Amino acid sequence: MKAVSAKRAALYARFSSDLQKDKSIDRQFADLEKAARRLGFKLDKQHYFADRAQSATTLFERPGLTRDLLGAAARHEFDVVLVEATDRLSRDRADLFWLNKRFKFNEVTLFTPAGEVSDMQLTFDGHSNEDFIRKLAGRVKSGHDELTREGKIAGGKCYGYSAVPGQPGVRVINETEAAIVRRIFTEYASGSTPRQIVKALKSDGIPSPTGAAVWNYQGICGSDGGSTGMGMLHREIYRGKIVRNRIRYVKNPDDGRRLARRADPDDLLMVDAPQLRIISDELWEAAHAVRKARKKKMNPGGCKPAPTLARKQGILAGLIRCATCSGNMVLVSSTRGGRVACSNATHRQSCAHAKSYAIDAITAEVMGKVKEELTNPEFLKRRHRARTLELAKAEREENEERVQAQRDLDRLKLQISRLVDALGDGDLPAAEIKAKMKAKEAERVAIEERLRLLGKGSNVTSLPDATMAAFGKSVETLIDLLGRNPDDPACRAAFANLVDCVVVHPTPKKQPYDLALYARVSAIGNLKLFPEARSHEKMLADEGFAYFATGNAVTSN
């Protein structure tokens, strides 16, 4: 093959399984370096990109590709991307074409050791890569089904059983745990509620299946639908039946998360395994009779629940903490504006702070504190000087938050790019897509501002009075805008950057709430509450589309 004129090349490598090792990356880079020399490419170690133990079926959670490689391509740091094969980039046909579109827009050519990847080759690879995944999934499922027919377990450990070393899929009853399983079924059949059962288990010092001191009561019943959250009461293995193919998993193309759905009933596989029986059929039936009676009492008409809309998050979502255990406060009632309570007290009975609080009352008091304290220059100066307190703890917590914020930012950028593609293609209503783009863009600029704050040093510096006054004025504007429209995405994102958490201290019943508001100290005087967001036209242009006066978007390449 005739050598291509010297061009700057970037190398990308990936392996998909935790069972593989970093040597796979080293081997891929070594092979790609050899191919690059043969093709006459220039290499720079700064342009070696990799993702370790990441699946090619999604672009999410792959920072080496979506953040580093695409970012460097957008800065025109190289002319060629060289990969071992196109399946290193993606095994999803749509994602593969999406990546190639980004490369072309940035004037980057995709190569494998065999040469430049043509559009026809990319089309063929897109189909064959997806077909490989389908066939692989089919082979894995077939192998698991065969194990099930042999009376073996094709999955992880189940409470009540132990694995046999050297015998894959073979399980034996763990008598210590089996006694706990029988106790749970017996107590439930006798009328005890899941909360009462887990409270007694904790009192007797019996650890949960995860090893934690506290059991989760939701793990007793789980769900009746057979889709997600299967609790102990629904595990047929306890009565000597191995069940497989009850559920299947799909990946949400919008965020890459894996979701469980009910599988085809015709695919259900149930095999008798008397050697694994822990409870009798009589006890099983008695427990499920109680379950059915309670379900009928809660829904006497047997009505099917109406489809539910996604829960709208409040302005303080994720910010309210329990003062007793430092755990999250979660929604426990959605009536009359909603109420929150300590998650550990509600679900695990591991915290004594069991009182619930009205969300509206907390929100009103927090808004008052924000306006009163964060617009006062003297208060702001005192808080700014306090930045050196508990510095080591703050830096440790900020590092964890920085990692999560970067992941969220990577995910948002990918979602925005796909929305831009949808708007450019014109297949979906433009108004709906633009509304989603505006909300995502508000989140993006807010997270970038948060990352900027988390990256600032910890040295205390004095801030001019004018800076403090301007910051206080911005806070007043934010509170005013939230009062008019609490659902505005830019205002909600700004508030989340400003407030670190709201700590709720226990108070007697019908007594005023005792709240402590903690602002992000690094934000005082430094935070841009309303960082500039891109327009729809700018987002389209950044993703490779030209937006004309007619309102029609076309690709610029």
Side-chain angles (χ1 to χ4, degrees), residues 175-480:
E175 290 300 339
T176 301
E177 294 179 355
I180 306 303
V181 173
R182 296 187 190 98
R183 169 178 169 172
I184 290 173
F185 270 83
T186 301
E187 291 183 2
Y188 189 87
S190 300
S192 297
T193 66
R195 293 178 189 271
Q196 292 171 335
I197 293 173
V198 299
K199 184 177 181 180
L201 291 171
K202 178 193 173 187
S203 177
D204 293 343
I206 299 173
S208 71
T210 63
V214 181
W215 289 64
N216 188 335
Y217 79 93
Q218 293 173 319
I220 302 295
C221 289
S223 66
D224 291 320
S227 57
T228 59
M230 292 293 292
M232 295 183 71
L233 291 180
H234 298 283
R235 292 178 184 167
E236 304 261 3
I237 191 173
Y238 290 145
R239 61 169 179 164
K241 294 182 181 294
I242 302 176
V243 178
R244 184 151 189 89
N245 302 331
R246 188 192 300 271
I247 60 175
R248 61 186 177 90
Y249 292 96
V250 296
K251 282 190 177 180
N252 185 338
D254 291 333
D255 56 24
R257 292 186 173 90
R258 195 172 78 147
L259 305 176
R261 291 181 179 174
R262 188 179 301 181
D264 186 344
D266 293 336
D267 208 25
L268 186 67
L269 185 62
M270 183 176 291
V271 176
D272 288 330
Q275 75 279 9
L276 299 178
R277 178 187 287 274
I278 289 179
I279 64 172
S280 65
D281 287 335
E282 291 76 17
L283 181 55
W284 173 275
E285 295 297 338
H288 279 262
V290 172
R291 178 71 172 153
K292 290 178 182 177
R294 288 176 176 172
K295 184 178 180 181
K296 186 175 182 180
K297 183 178 180 180
M298 295 295 294
N299 184 15
C303 301
K304 292 184 178 180
T308 56
L309 299 175
R311 180 183 295 169
K312 185 172 73 173
Q313 289 194 332
I315 190 68
L316 297 179
L319 301 179
I320 309 177
R321 302 282 190 273
C322 169
T324 302
C325 68
S326 299
N328 289 325
M329 304 283 279
V330 296
L331 189 70
V332 294
S333 173
S334 57
T335 59
R336 297 182 180 180
R339 299 184 71 84
V340 294
C342 174
S343 175
N344 290 325
T346 302
H347 298 306
R348 298 177 177 84
Q349 289 76 50
S350 60
C351 177
H353 189 182
K355 180 180 176 180
S356 66
Y357 300 83
I359 296 177
D360 290 345
I362 293 178
T363 302
E365 187 168 339
V366 167
M367 292 300 180
K369 284 180 175 289
V370 169
K371 190 169 184 178
E372 175 186 354
E373 297 177 352
L374 297 186
T375 58
N376 183 338
E378 291 303 318
F379 174 83
L380 293 176
K381 287 181 180 179
R382 291 196 302 272
R383 292 298 301 149
H384 190 70
R385 286 194 294 267
R387 290 178 65 180
T388 54
L389 298 178
E390 299 183 1
L391 185 57
K393 177 182 177 182
E395 288 183 347
R396 182 173 63 253
E397 292 176 349
E398 284 193 354
N399 184 59
E400 295 174 356
E401 185 176 359
R402 187 182 299 110
V403 171
Q404 184 58 50
Q406 185 62 63
R407 288 179 179 173
D408 293 341
L409 182 61
D410 292 341
R411 187 180 299 274
L412 276 170
K413 286 183 175 179
L414 191 55
Q415 290 173 335
I416 289 173
S417 293
R418 289 181 168 176
L419 286 171
V420 168
D421 277 353
L423 183 61
D425 293 339
D427 295 333
L428 297 174
E432 179 182 341
I433 297 176
K434 285 183 177 181
K436 291 182 179 180
M437 288 170 61
K438 180 181 178 182
K440 295 293 183 184
E441 178 67 5
E443 289 185 59
R444 183 192 68 81
V445 295
I447 291 179
E448 286 187 341
E449 178 66 7
R450 188 182 309 167
L451 283 169
R452 184 185 71 82
L453 292 175
L454 292 172
K456 294 184 72 68
S458 303
N459 295 329
V460 178
T461 58
S462 60
L463 293 176
D465 291 342
T467 300
M468 291 297 189
F471 181 77
K473 188 66 176 177
S474 296
V475 172
E476 287 183 348
T477 302
L478 173 62
I479 298 302
D480 181 57

